[in-house]
Amino acid sequence: MRPSEDPGGPPEARGAAEAIAAEVRGVAPGEVPGRLCRLAVRLLPVADAGASLRGDGVPVPLCAGGDRASYLAEIQATLGDGPCVSAAEAGAVVLARDLTSGADAGRWPVFAQQATAVGVRAVYALPLGSGAVCLGTLDLYRDTPGGLTGPQLRTARLVTGVMTRALMELPHGGDAWLDELAGGHDEVYRAVGMIMAQLGVGADEALARLRADAFAHGRSAYTVARDVLAHRRRFDPDR
């Protein structure tokens, strides 16, 4: 595989493209996202990186370079809110430069609180896909407030371009890891159906109740969904 766009420009852009090409050369498409998340941390002023696939209201964590990226992906899936959710919905780059104050902290207040509690001060979310099609996001997490320079943003876009190409080159039906991710997403919506029946509410309210329950108990939406499906958790109308 190789970067899907010609970096041209200054030497640092060519150097980033060469590093990306070396990282993914001869690698199966299913291994590329994880490799690129780890490489992004080496190429950019970020402390962690992850990627999520776009789901119907529930982002599906794809890979993570470290524990914080994994945790914050689950937080956003549980809340249905955050920079990465916004980037997927808009199909556009979201640069949350300072989660401690100002507009970014106010735009996603609960996510910002959770992120800063684990030492993350800025988040950059870039859509995976091309044109009007957004497959998901590359999510970059930084320990200090600040933005990305022009060259750094170009490097991040190179990473997303190669990651997008890898996802699109997966054989029909996907690899085992992708099938497992899809299974987790399906569990949430099967659980939403059960909650709809238990409460007599619509899908949006059922999903909101599942998310609220997960957040209130410090769990992910996926773990609560599995409890609902296993009849370990029931939502009663009077609760």
Side-chain angles (χ1 to χ4, degrees):
M1 295 188 63
R2 63 188 180 192
S4 57
E5 56 184 277
D6 179 5
E12 60 265 27
R14 294 194 295 273
E18 290 168 0
I20 293 167
E23 188 70 22
V24 301
R25 188 174 294 119
V27 174
E31 298 178 23
V32 169
R35 281 177 171 263
L36 290 182
C37 281
R38 294 188 289 272
L39 179 63
V41 175
R42 303 200 297 271
L43 294 177
L44 296 164
V46 298
D48 208 345
S52 297
L53 295 178
R54 185 181 185 186
D56 296 331
V58 182
V60 182
L62 174 61
C63 61
D67 290 341
R68 281 192 296 183
S70 179
Y71 170 73
L72 292 175
E74 287 205 350
I75 285 292
Q76 292 183 86
T78 298
L79 295 173
D81 192 31
C84 309
V85 176
S86 295
E89 290 176 345
V93 175
V94 171
L95 303 176
R97 297 175 176 85
D98 188 355
L99 294 174
T100 64
S101 62
D104 293 332
R107 185 175 179 185
W108 311 282
V110 179
F111 169 78
Q113 180 185 46
Q114 296 294 310
T116 56
V118 295
V120 170
R121 300 293 183 267
V123 180
Y124 317 122
L126 293 88
L128 301 171
S130 58
V133 178
C134 179
L135 304 175
T137 59
L138 171 67
D139 314 319
L140 306 171
Y141 302 97
R142 181 170 171 169
D143 290 345
T144 57
L148 294 176
T149 65
Q152 289 165 351
L153 186 55
R154 285 194 292 273
T155 294
R157 288 184 183 278
L158 281 173
V159 173
T160 62
V162 178
M163 194 178 293
T164 295
R165 182 171 175 178
L167 292 172
M168 296 182 72
E169 287 184 357
L170 285 171
H172 182 69
D175 283 348
W177 59 269
L178 193 56
D179 291 339
E180 184 177 348
L181 289 173
H185 184 263
D186 288 345
E187 286 177 336
V188 171
Y189 280 96
R190 286 164 52 207
V192 164
M194 292 179 65
I195 296 169
M196 290 169 63
Q198 291 168 7
L199 298 179
V201 298
D204 288 347
E205 183 174 345
L207 179 57
R209 291 287 295 269
L210 185 150
R211 282 174 161 157
D213 186 84
F215 187 73
H217 294 92
R219 309 177 72 200
S220 75
Y222 300 104
T223 55
V224 173
R226 293 186 187 109
D227 279 355
V228 171
L229 294 174
H231 303 284
R232 292 189 295 265
R233 174 72 175 94
R234 178 179 176 84
F235 287 74
D236 297 321
D238 59 347
R239 294 184 62 184

